[in-house]
Amino acid sequence: MHLSMRNRLGLAAMAVLTGTGLAVAGVAPAAVATGQQVIDGSGDPTNDWKEEGNLSRTSHAHSKATRLWQTILWADGAKYKGSDGKWHTYTKSEIDGHFGKRTESATKYWQKREGLAVDGIVGKQTFGYADDFLFAGSGGTVSYAGYEHDVNFKRWSGKYHVKVGGQWKKATY
């Protein structure tokens, strides 16, 4: 289910309205643990990531949470400015869990296209906007409706998991 900008904006508006009703029932807190933090997956998927920490070149730059974000960039066909000065489409092979220059540039591209503040940091606003395009499936599957690709994540025991080498791993910071 690849979405046009207009359909995607309609889904975002619907998610906000749905989320408003959920806010009365309470909002799930960000994942906090004594060890590694894991991206929280409790409650409605369209309200999962709004309380997450930052991902950037200086914050959790090498993590499975970064891999989850890179999957979003790939799904949406984000572009990055290469060292050659040209724009390149973010590829699946660049999903490596390392928040480098390409991921930062692609994040800025994504933020600009979505009408968000452009800083290259995946914080509450960026994560919160992205989670408006998550949809619950069966067996703990959560799908992200991207512009170019639809991708799946897993939510088990209130924690997000991302595929690493063909296996599901907790999306840790």
Side-chain angles (χ1 to χ4, degrees):
M1 167 171 90
H2 306 297
L3 300 175
S4 68
M5 179 66 88
R6 187 170 70 148
N7 288 341
R8 191 168 162 138
L9 290 173
L11 283 171
M14 189 168 48
V16 168
L17 292 174
T18 302
T20 303
L22 292 173
V24 174
V27 176
V32 178
T34 55
Q36 288 184 312
Q37 291 181 322
V38 181
I39 293 181
D40 184 49
S42 56
D44 184 89
T46 60
N47 197 26
D48 274 351
W49 298 345
K50 288 174 177 47
E51 299 299 321
E52 291 303 324
N54 291 346
L55 299 174
S56 69
R57 290 182 64 197
T58 58
S59 181
H60 308 293
H62 305 287
S63 66
K64 291 180 187 76
T66 293
R67 182 179 286 272
L68 180 140
W69 176 249
Q70 291 171 324
T71 302
I72 298 299
L73 294 174
W74 173 74
D76 278 339
K79 297 183 183 301
Y80 65 89
K81 198 166 202 174
S83 57
D84 59 3
K86 296 180 182 176
W87 289 98
H88 303 272
T89 301
Y90 206 83
T91 64
K92 194 171 189 175
S93 66
E94 288 161 317
I95 302 171
D96 61 4
H98 302 286
F99 202 113
K101 290 180 183 180
R102 290 179 179 179
T103 301
E104 180 181 52
S105 179
T107 298
K108 288 178 179 180
Y109 174 94
W110 190 94
Q111 290 169 326
K112 183 176 182 178
R113 184 178 61 195
E114 301 301 337
L116 303 174
V118 178
D119 60 7
I121 297 170
V122 184
K124 291 179 185 350
Q125 181 188 35
T126 300
F127 256 142
Y129 190 83
D131 78 5
D132 289 346
F133 306 104
L134 293 173
F135 302 92
S138 61
T141 299
V142 176
S143 297
Y144 178 84
Y147 288 120
E148 301 292 327
H149 310 279
D150 296 338
V151 295
N152 292 321
F153 302 106
K154 291 281 189 177
R155 290 192 320 171
W156 290 318
S157 301
K159 308 291 182 212
Y160 265 86
H161 292 70
V162 62
K163 274 252 172 122
V164 179
Q167 296 184 6
W168 291 106
K169 303 284 184 175
K170 285 183 183 175
T172 55
Y173 287 95

